[in-house]
Amino acid sequence: QTNSLMPGRSTPLSNYPVVRSSDPEFVRDRLFQVYGANSFAVKRSDDEFAVTADHLQIGGVGLSYVEYIGDVSVGFGELSFVRQCFNIEGLARYHTGAQSMEIPPGAWTPILHARQPLRFEFQSGYRQIALRIEFDTLLRNLSALLGKEVHELTFDEARTNPAAMEGLRRRIFHA
């Protein structure tokens, strides 16, 4: 579903469009409906604005591509999935609980918890791929792998293994 199409360029998930629009109200509606956002704000209304967003959902696993022209803020309440964001280009910041961190170009977030409010601040020109996994799907698959029921899962805030994350990033971007 699109509105006021942005200039055409192929994106990693362009076969699964969610929004291509320069209308902030339309973008807000799509971000709320598809991604579960609960707040959306364009920082400066006099600047150029547009959003391209694509999303592929297969069962409890989703993969999204989003790019922003114009500075925006997007917030989420307590959702049912964990996510991890991979910055392609630009700069963003996320805020969750007591943590606030930048997502510089070529970097990634730690696993962002389910059931915890989250807010992103995206600068104009920011592009990302985000992986999201339903928490219940994660518990079910982990239980099957371990051969015993897992009811709780807590993610360590420790730094990730850079070599492992670079490998995952290469797989996601086929680079």
Side-chain angles (χ1 to χ4, degrees):
Q1 304 229 343
T2 59
N3 179 25
S4 305
L5 287 176
M6 293 173 52
R9 93 167 160 176
S10 181
T11 67
L13 295 167
S14 57
N15 288 339
Y16 309 95
V18 170
V19 65
R20 284 162 174 64
S21 180
S22 57
D23 176 353
E25 293 302 316
F26 183 75
V27 170
R28 173 183 287 111
D29 181 60
R30 299 301 293 156
L31 292 176
F32 281 38
Q33 285 182 14
V34 176
Y35 295 104
N38 66 3
S39 69
F40 172 79
V42 177
K43 297 292 184 162
R44 293 185 298 265
S45 61
D46 57 334
D47 283 350
E48 186 178 7
F49 169 80
V51 172
T52 295
D54 306 315
H55 181 74
L56 171 62
Q57 187 74 33
I58 301 173
V61 178
L63 194 60
S64 296
Y65 169 84
V66 183
E67 68 180 66
Y68 297 93
I69 296 173
D71 296 350
V72 302
S73 174
V74 181
F76 300 87
E78 298 180 12
L79 298 173
S80 62
F81 53 85
V82 296
R83 77 183 89 189
Q84 188 164 32
C85 303
F86 297 85
N87 181 332
I88 299 170
E89 181 178 28
L91 188 62
R93 175 172 285 282
Y94 72 90
H95 309 273
T96 180
Q99 189 175 23
S100 176
M101 295 185 69
E102 275 192 354
I103 314 168
W108 50 84
T109 65
I111 294 173
L112 300 170
H113 301 271
R115 302 179 183 106
Q116 186 176 33
L118 172 68
R119 189 178 85 250
F120 289 100
E121 294 172 10
F122 300 109
Q123 290 185 4
S124 188
Y126 183 79
R127 298 185 314 129
Q128 77 173 10
I129 292 277
L131 172 66
R132 72 187 218 185
I133 303 172
E134 288 293 330
F135 196 68
D136 291 341
T137 299
L138 191 57
L139 289 176
R140 188 173 50 255
N141 288 321
L142 187 56
S143 295
L145 286 170
L146 295 174
K148 66 179 184 177
E149 202 64 31
V150 176
H151 299 285
E152 235 1 84
L153 185 60
T154 305
F155 295 96
D156 188 358
E157 295 291 332
R159 296 191 55 81
T160 58
N161 177 320
M165 290 306 299
E166 280 298 330
L168 177 60
R169 182 179 171 80
R170 278 192 302 276
R171 284 182 198 93
I172 289 174
F173 295 114
H174 304 292

